[in-house]
Amino acid sequence: MATMTTRILETRKERTIAIFLLALAVPCSAQLGVISGVMARVSPVGLAIFAVLIAGQLLAAGWVASKLLPGRAADFIIEVPPIRRPLAGNVWLKTVTRVRWFLVEAVPLFLIGTLILFVAAKLGVIPS
């Protein structure tokens, strides 16, 4: 999704740099959460070092990419729409719709997977 959002950038150079940084320097949210949780539990200093390393890698990779890629940098001006308080009815409708989708699409797959693992464990295919 973030890669698709780079369409709004003006020049090909900026789009390429943004995609490069998304792929290289930004950990996925699940990975970031797990690593941050482990590092915070081990040592707050370790968490700070991890954050500085990720930020440093992001800045260094962006700087190098901007020097190596040909092209010009455009002015980065984006019009931000007004931020409004969401309507409770809209939030409720979206939540119900997504929960219903999850129950219809994902739960059967979880049940099938659980059944396969249960049968495999009972047959001795995997140790229980």
Side-chain angles (χ1 to χ4, degrees):
M1 190 62 176
T3 302
M4 289 178 57
T5 306
T6 61
R7 299 182 294 194
I8 65 171
L9 297 174
E10 279 187 37
T11 65
R12 181 172 174 78
K13 177 180 181 174
E14 289 177 334
R15 285 190 296 271
T16 304
I17 291 172
I19 293 169
F20 171 71
L21 292 176
L22 286 168
L24 176 72
V26 180
C28 74
S29 59
Q31 186 182 34
L32 189 61
V34 169
I35 292 171
S36 299
V38 169
M39 293 303 293
R41 188 156 172 93
V42 171
S43 163
V45 174
L47 179 62
I49 291 171
F50 172 70
V52 167
L53 285 175
I54 291 295
Q57 178 185 359
L58 181 70
L59 293 172
W63 182 80
V64 169
S66 71
K67 298 299 178 195
L68 293 177
L69 290 172
R72 64 170 189 82
D75 296 330
F76 189 67
I77 299 173
I78 295 178
E79 185 177 325
V80 179
I83 298 174
R84 296 183 181 102
R85 186 180 308 259
L87 298 174
N90 291 347
V91 173
W92 175 254
L93 181 63
K94 185 174 271 194
T95 302
V96 168
T97 304
R98 292 197 176 169
V99 167
R100 184 177 294 137
W101 172 85
F102 181 79
L103 292 174
V104 169
E105 294 286 330
V107 170
L109 295 175
F110 287 132
L111 292 175
I112 291 169
T114 303
L115 179 66
I116 291 170
L117 289 173
F118 174 76
V119 170
K122 289 299 178 185
L123 294 176
V125 175
I126 57 174
S128 54

